[in-house]
Amino acid sequence: MSKIIVLIGAPGAGKGTQARFLEERLGIPQISTGDMFREMKNADTPIAREVQTIMASGKLISDEITFQIVKDRTSRADCKGTYILDGFPRTAIQAGMLEALADEQNKEISAILIDVPLDHLEKRMTGRRSCPICGEIYNIYYKPPKNDNVCDFHTEAKLNHRADDTEEKVKIRLTTYEENTKPLLDYYEKSGRLKKVNGTDEMEAIYRELKKLV
Ligand code: AMP
């Protein structure tokens, strides 16, 4: 049976980096709600404007809007088999919505926690930068680019610093994670569907562990 692999972890735990590895190296499509919302940045519709305001505040978009984009995206042909969700579900209501979607799509859910202690996370987020062209993720503390503020592969473009990766927004996002998303660990654990990897290891080591679990 095909799976829906749910990558869970605090913001900054490395879900995006690992989801990209799994997609590039194993060909499993990764669906990132954060990326999809960021892509709405330039759209000038009422929903896009609402999404931009909420994202900039570090809070969560409504469950209904979020679920709708996940449902639409995963109904495309590339999600016929196993796919990865990065950043969804993030609330108990979303987890319930995902159960229904999994039934509908005839897939089983497998959750994997990328476990990083809270005190590591702040620097990971405030130091995060990404290439606007290829999406390569850097960190000025842990994985700096060869030259200041430009991608190793695309020197023509300055790296992006997400508006919600500032110290103030990071604090809000971590609190949101603690309150809304952390309870999901219990939910998946109790139903025997939670696996864990140590997210403080080096990136390639985390990837090797993850690969065994997907
Ligand atoms: P991320 O890139 O996963 O950290 O997501 C960035 C932002 O997008 C979050 O802080 C939320 O504002 C929004 N977002 C992403 N995924 C969700 C979700 N599942 N539910 C609600 N809001 C989300």
Side-chain angles (χ1 to χ4, degrees):
M1 194 187 227
S2 302
K3 287 197 274 193
I4 300 176
I5 298 164
V6 173
L7 283 188
I8 306 193
K15 298 186 299 293
T17 303
Q18 294 298 334
R20 282 166 60 95
F21 281 169
L22 291 167
E23 179 170 72
E24 284 161 15
R25 300 177 187 184
L26 301 181
I28 309 174
Q30 61 116 355
I31 315 300
S32 156
T33 43
D35 283 351
M36 288 193 287
F37 285 137
R38 273 184 291 279
E39 274 162 25
M40 290 168 88
K41 208 167 55 191
N42 301 320
D44 193 20
T45 63
I47 289 191
R49 280 195 294 274
E50 190 187 328
V51 164
Q52 288 155 25
T53 313
I54 299 172
M55 272 184 95
S57 75
K59 302 208 176 110
L60 294 180
I61 316 290
S62 78
D63 292 328
E64 289 70 27
I65 291 179
T66 307
F67 181 62
Q68 196 55 51
I69 66 160
V70 171
K71 195 172 165 156
D72 288 349
R73 175 64 189 84
T74 62
S75 65
R76 290 206 217 142
D78 63 333
C79 292
K80 252 193 150 90
T82 294
Y83 61 82
I84 299 164
L85 290 177
D86 160 15
F88 184 92
R90 259 176 154 99
T91 65
I93 293 178
Q94 290 179 11
M97 290 166 153
L98 184 61
E99 298 293 346
L101 187 68
D103 276 351
E104 214 173 276
Q105 296 179 342
N106 199 25
K107 296 190 203 293
E108 61 185 35
I109 296 171
S110 168
I112 306 179
L113 167 67
I114 303 186
D115 198 11
V116 177
L118 217 59
D119 54 336
H120 284 52
L121 295 168
E122 276 189 33
K123 256 191 171 173
R124 286 209 184 182
M125 281 190 278
T126 55
R128 179 158 59 185
R129 304 287 185 275
S130 67
C131 173
I133 298 171
C134 66
E136 183 73 11
I137 301 169
Y138 298 91
N139 187 295
I140 57 169
Y141 305 112
Y142 305 120
K143 188 200 167 197
K146 290 194 185 104
N147 296 301
D148 264 7
N149 217 26
V150 287
C151 178
D152 295 350
F153 312 105
H154 301 94
T155 47
E156 66 276 30
K158 281 206 159 135
L159 296 179
N160 278 338
H161 184 201
R162 278 169 52 171
D164 59 352
D165 274 344
T166 59
E167 222 169 288
E168 180 204 350
K169 301 294 157 54
V170 160
K171 287 212 165 77
I172 300 173
R173 289 164 66 209
L174 289 174
T175 309
T176 305
Y177 173 76
E178 287 286 311
E179 287 172 358
N180 296 286
T181 310
K182 229 175 164 186
L184 298 186
L185 298 179
D186 244 13
Y187 172 77
Y188 287 120
E189 179 122 65
K190 282 192 179 127
S191 49
R193 294 177 294 175
L194 184 70
K195 296 167 186 162
K196 291 179 197 174
V197 295
N198 177 358
T200 58
D201 282 345
E202 170 269 311
M203 274 183 301
E204 289 294 334
I206 302 173
Y207 173 70
R208 282 195 296 276
E209 285 308 301
L210 263 179
K211 201 170 122 185
K212 287 186 211 152
L213 300 179
V214 300

XYZ file of all heavy atoms in Angstrom, residues 18 67 72 112 123 143 154 187 194-195 202:
102
model
N 15.527 17.626 4.608
C 15.434 16.170 4.458
C 14.371 15.785 3.423
O 14.568 14.842 2.655
C 15.132 15.512 5.814
C 16.257 15.654 6.836
C 17.561 14.992 6.397
O 17.555 14.037 5.610
N 18.688 15.477 6.903
N -5.927 22.656 4.415
C -6.322 21.335 3.944
C -6.682 21.369 2.460
O -6.337 20.448 1.704
C -7.506 20.803 4.757
C -7.935 19.432 4.317
C -7.068 18.358 4.421
C -9.190 19.222 3.770
C -7.442 17.089 3.990
C -9.576 17.960 3.343
C -8.705 16.891 3.458
N -5.835 19.521 -2.963
C -5.671 19.815 -4.393
C -4.330 19.305 -4.905
O -4.240 18.645 -5.926
C -5.729 21.334 -4.650
C -7.132 21.874 -4.478
O -8.066 21.057 -4.363
O -7.282 23.112 -4.442
N 7.072 10.480 10.909
C 8.464 10.425 11.359
C 8.817 11.755 12.019
O 8.683 12.822 11.402
C 9.444 10.167 10.200
C 9.042 8.914 9.429
C 10.873 10.046 10.736
C 9.944 8.593 8.236
N 18.870 29.211 16.582
C 19.954 29.567 15.654
C 19.735 28.949 14.270
O 20.101 29.518 13.252
C 21.285 29.056 16.202
C 22.137 30.151 16.797
C 23.516 29.609 17.063
C 24.456 30.723 17.451
N 25.769 30.229 17.872
N 26.074 26.032 8.080
C 26.365 25.615 6.704
C 26.431 26.864 5.832
O 25.531 27.125 5.029
C 25.252 24.660 6.222
C 25.533 23.996 4.889
C 24.245 23.473 4.256
C 24.459 23.109 2.804
N 23.220 22.983 2.049
N 24.516 29.602 -7.747
C 23.916 30.728 -8.472
C 24.417 32.037 -7.868
O 23.716 32.658 -7.063
C 22.387 30.674 -8.404
C 21.830 29.422 -8.976
N 21.527 28.318 -8.230
C 21.570 29.098 -10.268
C 21.087 27.361 -9.025
N 21.101 27.801 -10.263
N -0.532 11.457 19.452
C -1.593 10.911 18.615
C -1.043 9.810 17.699
O -1.617 8.715 17.600
C -2.198 12.068 17.804
C -3.184 11.663 16.758
C -4.477 11.306 17.104
C -2.832 11.666 15.405
C -5.396 10.951 16.123
C -3.743 11.317 14.429
C -5.018 10.956 14.796
O -5.916 10.608 13.828
N 4.335 6.190 14.791
C 5.382 7.205 14.919
C 6.769 6.575 14.968
O 7.033 5.665 15.739
C 5.170 8.036 16.190
C 6.163 9.191 16.355
C 5.882 10.287 15.323
C 6.106 9.778 17.757
N 7.648 7.084 14.107
C 9.057 6.697 14.157
C 9.866 7.955 14.426
O 9.366 9.064 14.210
C 9.471 6.087 12.823
C 8.728 4.797 12.538
C 8.926 4.400 11.098
C 8.074 3.195 10.746
N 7.919 3.057 9.310
N 24.448 15.006 11.932
C 24.831 15.747 10.725
C 23.831 15.345 9.609
O 23.258 14.257 9.636
C 26.295 15.357 10.547
C 27.075 15.693 9.341
C 26.985 14.618 8.317
O 27.179 13.427 8.629
O 26.691 15.003 7.183
